[in-house]
Amino acid sequence: MTTLGMQAAAAGSASANASAGCDAANGGALNVSVSGGASALREAALSEGETLSLDLSTRGTARLAVSSGGGALRTLHAGRASTLMFVAPASATYGFYLDANGAADATLAVTCASVAKLNVERSLLERRKSFLTSKDPDRIRIDRAPAEPKPLDSAVQSSEAPRDVTASISMSELAAAMKLGGKKDPGILDFWFEGRYLTYDTVDANAKPGDGNFSVMYFGSKYMLGPDIMLGALAQFDQAGESSRYGDQISANGWMAGPYMSVRFGPGVVFDGRAAWGVAENAARGVMLDMAPADRKLLRGTLRGSRQVGGWTVAPSVGLSYVQDTPMVDGLAMGETATATPSGTGRLDVLPEVKRRFSLDSETYIEPRLAAGGFLAFDDLSKIGPGSMSSQVPEMQWKAEAGVAVGMKDSVNVQATGGVETGAQSAADTWSGRLQLNMPLGK
């Protein structure tokens, strides 16, 4: 009988002594170290869908195999050090066999996530991608009003109520506020920072409350190629975290960098575009498994118009945004090596907006605003392409916002906004409310 065959037989005879579930795996029940030429077997009773992160360390080459219910061993990995993911295809006792294969030594460290834990983690990752696609920094817009930053637009689930803070500054504005050089014109080159932080409430599948937060910082530069063309580059750093009844906080963070442009094609017609690439790091105190780490890319483009009609400003817009994470680790299930599967979140928005400013006196104004339109939410760009099958086309959803701003010209203002987004298919509608204070620097 071969070594693998003998180990399979041993697995069958030892099944009654198998450790139970994720708790035992996280307690070290599957961890094992062997010296050169030696081998060892560890067992655990896993439920369907429970996911193991298998961290194999070796100075040479080693073999990692798995059996189910005492059956034949199937090789998961043969070679040098690697990090693998194993998803239990059914509830059974699994044996994990490690053979140092002539190496000086080999070590296997295992962590486990339950199905409930994975669902919580996936929800966080989807929310983070939704926040990233919901809004770009105002600083990348060539027609941005310096004294009046737009309120944060967050895409969240129906059980959440976002509360957010934004901050923005550029080198030229800082110099003007400090009266350095006595010059307010930023010139053709400028550097800027913009950040936002929001908190929200969550409710899990068991109606247990929780809370979360999302923050992002942008560091950018801009170059005016002409009065109607702005080019630049920016780097962003983001973090999301949530607490739940499943124990320690889960968190995810990442960075991206890339170019952007903003072009004015004519009076009131502007295109903003951006591309970025980076890495997402997902961790829950070392336990988070799903998609950790991952290559990330982001694409975003918006075409906006603005016209004055009877004293009202009419501003229709069409925007496309997409962010995608591609895992850097293999996914495994009973001897099958899966390729890294990208996970994306995107939106195609059509959102006409109307607003009008009414002067209360020489300094104070009030400005009502109304926006209503539709959007398509999708997880793959091919689903909205011209060649996509009709059954794959995302469902049209609807969005409406209403708000009012009260403030002083070129100074402090307060904005209150409420909105609703219809849910896809059987999903609940999303209601949101926001109150924001804008205070330009130096005012």
Side-chain angles (χ1 to χ4, degrees):
M1 183 180 291
T2 64
T3 300
L4 285 177
M6 290 187 290
Q7 291 296 336
S13 62
S15 297
N17 299 319
S19 300
C22 274
D23 290 341
N26 289 330
L30 297 180
N31 295 350
V32 61
S33 295
V34 295
S35 57
S39 60
L41 179 72
R42 295 289 185 273
E43 291 189 316
L46 301 176
S47 298
E48 180 180 354
E50 289 185 331
T51 302
L52 300 181
S53 175
L54 306 168
D55 187 5
L56 175 63
S57 301
T58 178
R59 297 178 183 176
T61 60
R63 176 184 296 158
L64 177 63
V66 65
S67 67
S68 175
L73 284 165
R74 299 183 182 182
T75 299
L76 296 181
H77 175 77
R80 297 189 176 275
S82 181
T83 298
L84 312 166
M85 289 176 62
F86 174 82
V87 181
S91 297
T93 297
Y94 294 89
F96 294 88
Y97 167 79
L98 177 64
D99 183 359
N101 199 26
D105 54 48
T107 299
L108 179 65
V110 181
T111 54
C112 178
S114 66
V115 175
K117 177 72 171 178
L118 288 172
N119 288 338
V120 171
E121 294 174 353
R122 291 190 181 103
S123 295
L124 169 65
L125 298 181
E126 289 304 312
R127 271 189 282 268
R128 184 190 60 175
K129 286 187 289 186
S130 183
F131 289 140
L132 288 173
T133 58
S134 66
K135 184 181 182 296
D136 266 335
D138 289 319
R139 293 279 175 177
I140 70 171
R141 295 175 42 177
I142 195 171
D143 59 342
R144 171 188 174 272
E148 299 176 14
K150 294 293 184 182
L152 178 64
D153 179 16
S154 301
V156 297
Q157 302 297 321
S158 59
S159 60
E160 302 160 1
R163 301 170 291 273
D164 59 78
V165 178
T166 62
S168 178
I169 189 63
S170 71
M171 291 294 293
S172 60
E173 291 171 353
L174 182 61
M178 299 176 65
K179 305 188 186 307
L180 299 178
K183 181 181 179 182
K184 292 187 177 182
D185 184 1
I188 62 174
L189 179 64
D190 199 9
F191 299 91
W192 55 267
F193 162 82
E194 188 168 321
R196 54 186 171 120
Y197 177 84
L198 68 90
T199 62
Y200 54 90
D201 300 321
T202 62
V203 178
D204 65 18
N206 296 308
K208 298 293 184 179
D211 58 79
N213 64 82
F214 174 78
S215 61
V216 60
M217 296 185 297
Y218 302 96
F219 299 88
S221 64
K222 72 171 185 178
Y223 180 81
M224 298 302 298
L225 197 60
D228 298 321
I229 302 177
M230 183 173 72
L231 304 178
L234 67 85
Q236 73 174 62
F237 303 87
D238 64 89
Q239 182 274 337
E242 293 181 1
S243 62
S244 73
R245 72 184 186 92
Y246 294 104
D248 292 339
Q249 279 195 336
I250 55 176
S251 63
N253 60 77
W255 64 269
M256 285 190 292
Y260 70 88
M261 67 181 300
S262 186
V263 180
R264 185 184 291 108
F265 292 105
V269 181
V270 175
F271 172 78
D272 304 320
R274 179 189 172 204
W277 300 265
V279 173
E281 294 288 347
N282 310 313
R285 304 281 177 89
V287 177
M288 192 174 211
L289 305 178
D290 192 40
M291 301 169 53
D295 288 321
R296 177 197 284 177
K297 67 179 180 181
L298 178 145
L299 298 172
R300 187 173 176 91
T302 304
L303 181 63
R304 297 177 286 108
S306 179
R307 288 289 185 272
Q308 296 294 324
V309 179
W312 289 82
T313 300
V314 181
S317 66
V318 179
L320 174 67
S321 60
Y322 184 70
V323 61
Q324 176 180 287
D325 290 344
T326 303
M328 296 182 186
V329 296
D330 294 329
L332 303 169
M334 288 307 299
E336 299 179 357
T337 302
T339 57
T341 302
S343 174
T345 298
R347 284 172 61 121
L348 177 62
D349 288 85
V350 179
L351 191 68
E353 176 185 287
V354 294
K355 61 182 179 181
R356 182 171 183 175
R357 177 169 294 190
F358 298 92
S359 297
L360 301 179
D361 54 39
S362 60
E363 294 293 333
T364 309
Y365 68 88
I366 183 171
E367 184 178 85
R369 166 183 170 269
L370 176 66
F375 66 94
L376 299 176
F378 55 89
D379 56 12
D380 192 324
L381 280 173
S382 63
K383 292 186 178 181
I384 61 170
S388 63
M389 302 297 292
S390 58
S391 61
Q392 295 180 315
V393 176
E395 175 189 352
M396 175 65 76
Q397 297 169 247
W398 305 101
K399 176 179 180 179
E401 286 187 352
V404 62
V406 179
M408 302 178 65
K409 296 177 181 179
D410 300 323
S411 186
V412 177
N413 69 73
V414 177
Q415 298 175 342
T417 305
V420 61
E421 290 185 2
T422 61
Q425 299 178 353
S426 60
D429 295 342
T430 300
W431 293 86
S432 63
R434 182 172 54 245
L435 181 65
Q436 181 169 334
L437 171 66
N438 298 315
M439 184 177 297
L441 185 66
K443 297 296 183 180

